[in-house]
Amino acid sequence: MSRKNETCTGAKEAPKKEEQMKKTIAILLVLVIGMVGVFAATAPADVSLFVKTSVYAINEMKITAAATPTSWTTNAQAAEIRASSSVYDSALSANSVNTSSTSAQIVGYLQTRTNNRLGVEVKVQASKLKYNITTTQDVEGIPTEVTTTVDSIDYTVTGGANPYNTASNTTAVSYMTIAAGTGLRLGDVKTVQVTLESNVANKTAGNYVGDITFNYTVN
């Protein structure tokens, strides 16, 4: 009877050990899962790297002899381009106007470009064609060159938004614009025309010189 009792007692103790092992395993799993969650929360915050650059201003105007697109100043993106030039930039290189005609005569072409977002405006102003003579005169005992206007010819400049007449206009008028926008933009090529006054045939014989000035304004 004693062996039977021992056997029964042993059978009862085995399930207790198995139950304790299950509890122990369950506790270990909970602890491990908890530890993994703690380590994942230590990742650092996002970090940013900023970059920047500059696009330099380009504003250019040319008077050319032909209407074909011109070659512009090379843009190395290293400095602002603010340039103007004229193929007829002095009395020696002046474009000739035929005095036997009172019709509009083309004397050049205006070409422009800009990357200004607000656009640009070009105004025109002109001086009379003048026949000047220079003489040396004694001014307070000092030989001095004196220029005298012998005669003059009025004319009208056309080809742009508004005409300019040397007899009636005294301030510059708007000739063309490049509208506000983005990027590098070319203005429309504008013809520069001159119409001489009707009585030019009655003027004094001589060489007459005048100039047409274009003023480029960034808005």
Side-chain angles (χ1 to χ4, degrees), residues 35-82:
M35 294 297 288
V36 170
V38 170
F39 284 117
T42 61
D46 293 346
V47 64
S48 299
L49 186 155
F50 289 86
V51 295
K52 65 178 183 178
T53 188
S54 296
V55 175
Y56 291 92
I58 299 174
N59 292 291
E60 195 165 7
M61 172 172 61
K62 289 187 176 186
I63 302 295
T64 59
T68 52
T70 187
S71 58
W72 298 98
T73 303
T74 301
N75 180 23
Q77 292 294 332
E80 177 182 358
I81 292 178
R82 182 176 52 190

Side-chain angles (χ1 to χ4, degrees), residues 191-211:
T191 302
V192 183
Q193 301 175 113
V194 166
T195 304
L196 301 177
E197 62 177 285
S198 58
N199 67 335
V200 64
N202 299 324
K203 296 296 181 177
T204 307
N207 294 317
Y208 293 72
V209 177
D211 64 85

